Amino acid sequence: MEDIQMIQEMLTNHTMQTDRDAAVMLPLVREADQSLSLLFEVRSLSMRSQPGEICFPGGRIDPDDKTPEAAASRELCEELGLSLTDIHMLSPLEPIMSPRRGTIFPFVCYIAEPNKICPNQAEVSSTFRIPLTYLLENPPEEHQTSFHFTFSEDFPLHLIANRSAYTDRKQTYTEHVFHYDGRVIWGLTARIMVTFLSILKAK
């Protein structure tokens, strides 16, 4: 393996693995008074992963999905009973890295006829909306969450320079929590919302 050109070709033709990567959609809908709201899902209690929690439409990127955008659109249609013609794509947001879930690709879309929404009860128990003005005027709570790193007994920590810096290492993150009408939104969903709302506030 000493051929630089061969290595370059391997790197150029390399395709990122997407077995854990996911794509989500932030759907905007217009209310009767012409104001805009952000639509959320409540996950079905029968779901193995995060039952009953609040999220945006989305899921893992399948091998058949040509792009993360295609995956987000497909998942939204499957979960909300819509077709691709019901979705008006607005823009991608900055991808988010998650240690457990790979890369999350968020997109913002507009659903012109929300009355067509018919949630797939196997995945979505219900949907609800939060006015965009409320989210812009009511910032989330900020809480600190810490993660502790530990090494297995056979890890060669004694061979690492400055190993004392990694012993009982702790990393702290800021966790955002939104409250609305008795509902709590946190985790990756809240993190994506913070990015989206910060762009709107900056403009």
Side-chain angles (χ1 to χ4, degrees):
M1 189 65 70
E2 297 180 0
D3 188 332
I4 278 292
Q5 185 175 354
M6 183 184 296
I7 293 176
Q8 182 182 20
E9 289 176 0
M10 289 178 176
L11 294 173
T12 303
N13 296 324
H14 173 69
T15 302
M16 289 184 62
Q17 298 298 313
T18 59
D19 58 333
R20 289 194 309 150
D21 294 348
V24 301
M25 194 79 81
L26 284 68
L28 290 168
V29 299
R30 197 172 292 283
E31 304 293 354
D33 62 0
Q34 297 304 303
S35 64
L36 288 172
S37 293
L38 202 53
L39 183 141
F40 298 84
E41 295 179 350
V42 179
R43 292 174 64 84
S44 170
L45 292 176
S46 62
M47 297 288 285
R48 288 189 306 171
S49 173
Q50 300 174 300
E53 292 200 24
I54 295 168
C55 64
F56 289 120
R60 285 191 177 183
I61 300 173
D62 290 344
D64 293 337
D65 294 319
K66 294 183 178 180
T67 63
E69 179 181 324
S73 299
R74 173 184 55 76
E75 288 282 352
L76 182 146
C77 289
E78 292 176 359
E79 294 170 11
L80 298 182
L82 298 175
S83 64
L84 291 175
T85 56
D86 296 319
I87 306 170
H88 302 274
M89 184 63 65
L90 299 181
S91 176
L93 297 177
E94 183 179 349
I96 293 178
M97 299 297 296
S98 170
R100 292 193 306 113
R101 302 181 187 177
T103 305
I104 312 297
F105 296 88
F107 298 87
V108 182
C109 76
Y110 174 60
I111 300 175
E113 299 183 71
N115 58 304
K116 288 186 177 182
I117 293 174
C118 183
N120 176 357
Q121 294 297 312
E123 298 186 54
V124 182
S125 65
S126 63
T127 65
F128 68 95
R129 308 169 187 177
I130 302 181
L132 197 55
T133 52
Y134 177 90
L135 292 171
L136 289 168
E137 294 170 0
N138 294 272
E141 296 176 355
E142 294 187 359
H143 301 275
Q144 301 304 308
T145 304
S146 297
F147 294 88
H148 295 265
F149 295 82
T150 58
F151 297 90
S152 62
E153 292 182 0
D154 61 346
F155 189 87
L157 189 62
H158 62 286
L159 300 178
I160 296 176
N162 194 31
R163 59 183 175 273
S164 61
Y166 301 97
T167 304
D168 296 325
R169 184 181 175 190
K170 181 175 72 171
Q171 192 161 354
T172 302
Y173 297 88
T174 298
E175 194 76 63
H176 296 91
V177 180
F178 289 85
H179 294 270
Y180 180 76
D181 195 25
R183 303 181 187 273
V184 177
I185 304 169
W186 70 294
L188 280 172
T189 301
R191 189 173 165 189
I192 294 169
M193 287 171 63
V194 168
T195 299
F196 171 58
L197 296 171
S198 66
I199 294 172
L200 298 187
K201 290 179 180 178
K203 301 298 182 181

